[in-house]
Amino acid sequence: MTIKGKSTSLDIAHLAGVSQPTVSRALRGHPSVNCETRERILGIARELNYKVDKNASNLRRQQSATLALLLFEDPTSDQSHINPFFLPMLGSITRACARHGQDLLISFQQLSDDWHADYGDSHKADGLILLGYGDYLAYQGKLRTLVEQGTQFVRWGAVLPGQPGISIGCDNAGGGALVGAHLVDLGHRRIAFLGDASSRYPEFLDRWLGCESALHTRGLPMERALQVDAESAEESGHAAATELLRRGLPFDAVFAASDLIAIGAMRAFAEHGLRMPDDIAIAGFDDIPAARMTTPALTTVVQDTLTAGELLVDTLMKLVIGEPAESLRMPTSLVVRESTARR
Amino acid sequence: MTIKGKSTSLDIAHLAGVSQPTVSRALRGHPSVNCETRERILGIARELNYKVDKNASNLRRQQSATLALLLFEDPTSDQSHINPFFLPMLGSITRACARHGQDLLISFQQLSDDWHADYGDSHKADGLILLGYGDYLAYQGKLRTLVEQGTQFVRWGAVLPGQPGISIGCDNAGGGALVGAHLVDLGHRRIAFLGDASSRYPEFLDRWLGCESALHTRGLPMERALQVDAESAEESGHAAATELLRRGLPFDAVFAASDLIAIGAMRAFAEHGLRMPDDIAIAGFDDIPAARMTTPALTTVVQDTLTAGELLVDTLMKLVIGEPAESLRMPTSLVVRESTARR
DNA sequence: CTGAAAGCGCTTACAG
DNA sequence: CTGAAAGCGCTTACAG
């Protein structure tokens, strides 16, 4: 049996000998529909391979049953690279959306784009998930606009007091402290930091602060002279490590604010004939797949990206249906590999 | 000025003192609208932050302005892993969709799911992009159903004669030949192959066949006894390499059907105290980011995933608007790294 | 338990 | 160049 064109609820109504609204009710499992009638209708629907037209349904219900995932890219990164850190999160987000009966739109945005306009206002999506690193100062204004417009959203990133909207992120300071404690316990004393530890990159800043507090507890300082700005990209890490070496100050360990930075830095150190971990210990943050491939394998901080993805969706759905929701910081843990070792 | 609730074209019509259809025309740049009127309307629309309601528009036009990207996962892979090979493709697909004014839905599917039903029939998407590796025999039936249902789709994968629908893939045989020629030219004679080289995995089969033909040209055989099945996953590569060693047959080089397989195999070889490339040369396929991180860095075949993503979208759009489109094989090239060297 | 009616916000012939 | 009318395929009060 071949059906030309899509069938509608009216087609089914005719075949079942009922009215079209009854078909609609039966299909959505409305309890008022007679059991026998319902079965007949469902049978016909299955036979015709009928699916409710989403556009009509959404228009009528004034919703979209869709969430949008906006990945914004660092302007610095070349156009092909998403931070691999986000990949498992993408997987768990799509699965969580499916579980909630939501479709997921995905889009890459520049920090400069006009997000809300494109999604909220046009009824394309009921809520937004924001992923990606970028200058937080530029970002914050956008978030404020979203809040003002009443757009529902959650973002992955640093959880800061008084920030607009809801954020879910990892305990960056806690992760930084784990690294600091680990390095000091191994006997390292002069720890360099590669990453932009300013309020423009609050996640990096928290990692720095966490590390600093761990050192402080142990009677050691984090020296600003050993900190070099870097964004989360390999090239940026390579440049930062090169700059660090150029400064000529002594250091015995490096805490890279992300694995991508660490990988670039390792390449720079290797180019300068430095052995790791013998000459320099190095640790990263994120535990991207490449972290276990490097030589030596990279000690790093793990975030539970799978749970994070679910949490992002669950939280957004609460907002969408009007329930209260809260920002949240997730615990981190340290994976010790070969790039750090006792002095 | 705060507007409660979204504004509609009727609101604009009232404010502009014209009819609602005129607003609709002006907004879409219909040439019949008076210039001055158009400007007035556009100004008001901007002020109200008006966006056309996608559900209403799509319902009326009987389209969706949306493509769906279905990533299906190997049942073997753990739930968090997308082949990193697809990541840059994902990026270029989203960008190409934006260029075509299409939204992109993304979903992870099991090979067992009922794709077409969920997307085509419910008007969620005008066309489907299928990504992912899996048993082609199971897959083929699905493709046939899609064709029968009149669903528009393109898939990334082996381009085979007489296959249902349109496929875009790389020249797997050509890539295999590059590897075969390279290994033989380096002086290798007994080349093992890790990967399921059967019609269930036509891409792997083509890579095998290409390698075989390159060897044949040089008067050498590919030995089936040196072939071990593997799916594109690290664990599978590790198991296959272990099995290969267990067989105890001599071999001096390995062609892994994908980088993930190669990476798993390298770990197995290292565990057995084999040095690469001194004891065994190894080459992969895909050039995932991790390929340059391994020790030794992996020689592999590069596919132009960025162009591939664009091509997938461009081709699908042709199908959606009813233009003719064709399957296509893209060229490959070899990146020689340290994992292969002269004997 | 079921039907007739209205309406979600657009687009598109059809008149003028 | 512009408006009045119809209709896309649903869902949801409102009657009965």
Side-chain angles (χ1 to χ4, degrees), chain B residues 202-215:
Chain B
E203 297 183 287
F204 288 0
L205 179 58
D206 277 355
R207 292 169 194 180
W208 156 279
L209 291 172
C211 186
E212 183 178 47
S213 86
L215 263 65

Side-chain angles (χ1 to χ4, degrees), chain A residues 76-91:
Chain A
T76 46
S77 72
D78 83 45
Q79 52 167 357
S80 72
H81 285 98
I82 308 165
N83 191 328
F85 168 73
F86 290 116
L87 194 51
M89 222 185 254
L90 176 60

Side-chain angles (χ1 to χ4, degrees), chain B residues 189-254:
Chain B
R189 291 297 171 262
R190 300 182 58 82
I191 298 172
F193 185 88
L194 302 182
D196 190 332
S198 76
S199 53
R200 299 173 50 155
Y201 292 83
E203 297 183 287
F204 288 0
L205 179 58
D206 277 355
R207 292 169 194 180
W208 156 279
L209 291 172
C211 186
E212 183 178 47
S213 86
L215 263 65
H216 190 257
T217 303
R218 289 157 178 80
L220 292 168
M222 276 292 272
E223 296 169 48
R224 268 288 171 181
L226 291 177
Q227 182 269 331
V228 185
D229 282 355
E231 288 171 324
S232 200
E234 219 182 304
E235 272 321 306
S236 186
H238 186 270
T242 306
E243 161 64 15
L244 177 64
L245 292 172
R246 200 200 52 76
R247 290 189 188 167
L249 301 169
F251 63 94
D252 49 19
V254 171

Side-chain angles (χ1 to χ4, degrees), chain B residues 9 20 24-25 50 60:
Chain B
S9 56
Q20 182 271 325
S24 176
R25 291 192 194 97
Y50 170 81
R60 181 52 232 259

Side-chain angles (χ1 to χ4, degrees), chain B residues 102-120:
Chain B
Q102 301 284 308
D103 284 324
L104 182 67
L105 283 175
I106 183 167
S107 170
F108 288 58
Q109 308 272 322
Q110 303 299 117
L111 209 47
S112 56
D113 295 342
D114 204 11
W115 318 328
H116 50 91
D118 238 37
Y119 288 89

Side-chain angles (χ1 to χ4, degrees), chain A residues 9 20 24-25 28 50 56 60:
Chain A
S9 56
Q20 182 270 326
S24 174
R25 292 192 194 98
R28 282 173 305 113
Y50 170 82
R60 182 53 232 257

